[in-house]
């Protein structure tokens, strides 16, 4: 947290190429994992997420001088990541399911093979349900539900009001529940 404040303090006083390079390096080291994780959740493809992570940091480099302190650096960076993801989504229709990276921490090593298979199937159902959502609902669900950002941070990243975040998050949870029920019923019928 203190490192973040140092970076935010350095940004307005960058003088020259060498300071810019070291500042970008600090920003990258501090935030690349969060950007990558957000993009994996949003896009669902590791290769695309890696490419888009690089694109995010190129945009940060190009617009670093425009950063103002009205929002936090993390919020500003994730906002850029959201715009890159939406641009990508508009260019390429979303087909693939999300990866298991998010769920790795949820899997218990003590589970039996059957329990592990059931957990994997449940994860795939959840990702399938999330992937069917519109981008704005998917983004709020990822930021609030998976990344556990506050309502205020989510609103700043999505460039909308806090009440819109609350409504969209509530709606996205409802859609998730409805889609999961439908997928589970369909699965039970196919067995």
């Amino acid at each position: 947290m203190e490192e973040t404040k140092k970076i935010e303090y350095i940004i307005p006083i960058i003088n020259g190429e060498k300071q810019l390079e070291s500042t970008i390096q600090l920003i990258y080291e501090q935030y690349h994992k969060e950007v990558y994780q957000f993009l994996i959740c949003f896009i669902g493809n590791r290769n695309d997420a890696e490419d888009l992570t690089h694109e995010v940091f190129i945009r940060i480099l190009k617009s670093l001088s425009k950063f103002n302190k009205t929002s936090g650096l993390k919020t500003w960076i994730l906002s850029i990541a959201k715009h890159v993801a939406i641009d990508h989504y508009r260019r390429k229709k979303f087909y693939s399911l999300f990866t298991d990276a998010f769920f790795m921490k949820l899997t218990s090593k003590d589970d039996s093979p059957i329990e592990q298979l059931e957990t994997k199937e449940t994860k795939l159902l959840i990702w399938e349900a999330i992937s069917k959502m519109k981008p704005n609902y998917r983004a709020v669900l990822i930021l609030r539900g998976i990344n556990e950002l506050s309502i205020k941070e989510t609103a700043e990243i999505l460039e909308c009001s806090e009440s819109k975040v609350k409504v969209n998050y509530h709606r996205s949870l409802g859609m998730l529940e409805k889609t999961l029920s439908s997928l589970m019923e369909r699965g039970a019928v196919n067995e």
Side-chain angles (χ1 to χ4, degrees):
M1 186 67 110
E2 194 161 305
E3 185 69 29
T4 303
K5 294 205 182 294
K6 288 179 187 175
I7 294 171
E8 288 181 22
Y9 179 74
I10 292 171
I11 290 172
I13 57 171
I14 296 173
N15 294 327
E17 198 171 303
K18 194 157 187 112
Q19 274 189 319
L20 178 62
E21 186 178 321
S22 63
T23 302
I24 289 296
Q25 186 175 357
L26 281 172
I27 292 171
Y28 181 81
E29 289 169 4
Q30 183 79 28
Y31 296 106
H32 78 277
K33 288 180 183 174
E34 288 182 65
V35 168
Y36 178 71
Q37 179 185 16
F38 171 79
L39 291 170
I40 274 196
C41 289
F42 198 93
I43 301 299
N45 180 299
R46 291 176 191 244
N47 293 330
D48 288 346
E50 288 174 9
D51 293 342
L52 294 177
T53 299
H54 293 288
E55 187 176 331
V56 167
F57 284 95
I58 289 169
R59 287 192 188 183
I60 290 169
L61 177 63
K62 289 179 179 177
S63 59
L64 191 58
S65 62
K66 297 175 188 170
F67 172 69
N68 59 29
K69 290 187 175 185
T70 57
S71 64
L73 184 61
K74 177 181 174 180
T75 303
W76 181 69
I77 289 171
L78 286 175
S79 178
I80 292 172
K82 176 202 68 158
H83 288 291
V84 167
I86 289 173
D87 290 347
H88 174 78
Y89 184 77
R90 287 178 182 151
R91 284 190 306 264
K92 179 181 176 186
K93 198 168 184 180
F94 184 83
Y95 286 109
S96 64
L97 294 176
F98 290 97
T99 65
D100 274 11
F102 162 68
F103 290 107
M104 292 301 281
K105 62 185 175 192
L106 299 179
T107 305
S108 170
K109 305 300 179 213
D110 300 331
D111 289 345
S112 71
I114 292 173
E115 290 170 327
Q116 289 178 3
L117 180 62
E118 288 173 350
T119 301
K120 186 173 183 174
E121 288 174 357
T122 302
K123 292 174 190 176
L124 287 173
L125 282 174
I126 292 170
W127 285 127
E128 185 177 349
I130 292 172
S131 71
K132 291 181 180 193
M133 290 182 184
K134 291 182 180 180
N136 58 330
Y137 291 117
R138 187 177 332 135
V140 77
L141 187 65
I142 291 167
L143 292 170
R144 290 280 299 135
I146 297 174
N147 290 355
E148 299 177 346
L149 296 180
S150 70
I151 293 170
K152 183 177 181 180
E153 288 173 316
T154 304
E156 288 176 8
I157 291 167
L158 298 178
E159 297 173 345
C160 63
S161 68
E162 290 180 23
S163 60
K164 178 130 175 100
V165 168
K166 291 176 188 175
V167 168
N168 283 355
Y169 184 59
H170 179 72
R171 287 180 180 167
S172 67
L173 289 175
M175 285 182 226
L176 182 62
E177 183 178 1
K178 183 177 178 182
T179 306
L180 282 175
S181 295
S182 171
L183 290 171
M184 292 176 101
E185 286 174 12
R186 189 177 71 205
V189 170
N190 291 336
E191 289 179 358

